């Protein structure tokens, strides 16, 4: 990687990725507008409201709409999404933080590649097991880590959180 600092930074990212992938599942998810928890989170998981917890979604995952994260008054509430393969949110995807939820406490941990669609508005830390790409006019508030290469299209923006 070129020097000791870069080597340590890479090791720290790998440690964080492995930590978040190993956490046991917890937390509740609801279809937006419902008070009944869902038993299984679908691979197309937009349209859901999540309370703090760790959510495991097997297989390739997509999103194409609103994802609500409800901190329930706790500014330290964490939302961890363990994604079993690739993650491909479309341009219609956006995250709404509710009741104290903060982007710095949101984690998407994909085993495979991450491809964020044109115009998507994501928040949180995203770990890609392999490659990552942000399409044109993608807006991201948080941090991005890729297991190999990362591609940013013209007009993609990243704001640290």
């Amino acid at each position: 990687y070129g020097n000791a600092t870069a080597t340590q930074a890479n090791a720290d990212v790998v440690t964080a990725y492995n930590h978040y992938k190993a956490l046991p599942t917890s937390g509740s998810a609801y279809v937006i507008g419902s008070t009944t928890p869902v038993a299984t989170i679908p691979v197309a998981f937009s349209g859901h409201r999540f309370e703090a917890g760790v959510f495991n979604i097997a297989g390739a995952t997509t999103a194409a709409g609103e994802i609500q994260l409800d901190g329930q008054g706790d500014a330290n509430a964490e939302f961890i999404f363990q994604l079993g393969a690739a993650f491909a949110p479309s341009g219609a995807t956006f995250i709404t933080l509710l009741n104290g939820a903060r982007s710095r406490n949101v984690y998407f941990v994909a085993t495979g590649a991450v491809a964020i669609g044109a115009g998507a508005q994501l928040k949180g830390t995203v770990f890609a097991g392999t490659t990552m790409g942000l399409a044109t006019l993608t807006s991201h508030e948080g941090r991005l880590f890729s297991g190999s290469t990362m591609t940013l299209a013209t007009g993609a923006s990243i704001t640290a959180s």
Side-chain angles (χ1 to χ4, degrees):
Y1 297 105
N3 64 42
T5 301
T7 299
Q8 185 60 53
N10 184 64
D12 292 346
V13 169
V14 170
T15 298
Y17 174 89
N18 289 332
H19 167 76
Y20 290 117
K21 286 295 283 185
L23 293 173
T25 58
S26 64
S28 297
Y30 307 83
V31 172
I32 293 175
S34 172
T35 57
T36 304
V38 296
T40 303
I41 301 165
V43 293
F45 71 103
S46 52
H48 286 79
R49 176 178 58 86
F50 296 88
E51 294 174 352
V54 179
F55 305 93
N56 185 289
I57 304 170
T61 307
T62 63
E66 182 177 20
I67 299 167
Q68 294 181 350
L69 305 178
D70 187 348
Q72 298 183 306
D74 181 358
N76 295 313
E78 289 189 321
F79 304 86
I80 300 159
F81 297 92
Q82 301 166 332
L83 310 172
F87 179 40
S90 77
T93 304
F94 63 100
I95 294 176
T96 303
L97 301 175
L98 304 169
N99 302 316
R102 302 167 89 176
S103 61
R104 71 179 189 191
N105 296 331
V106 177
Y107 304 89
F108 295 93
V109 187
T111 301
V114 173
I116 302 172
Q121 300 173 31
L122 290 185
K123 297 177 181 178
T125 299
V126 180
F127 292 94
T130 60
T131 62
M132 182 181 301
L134 277 72
T136 303
L137 301 178
T138 296
S139 169
H140 184 80
E141 178 185 327
R143 300 170 292 182
L144 302 169
F145 299 101
S146 172
S148 61
T149 60
M150 184 177 304
T151 306
L152 303 176
T154 302
S157 67
I158 303 169
T159 305
S161 66

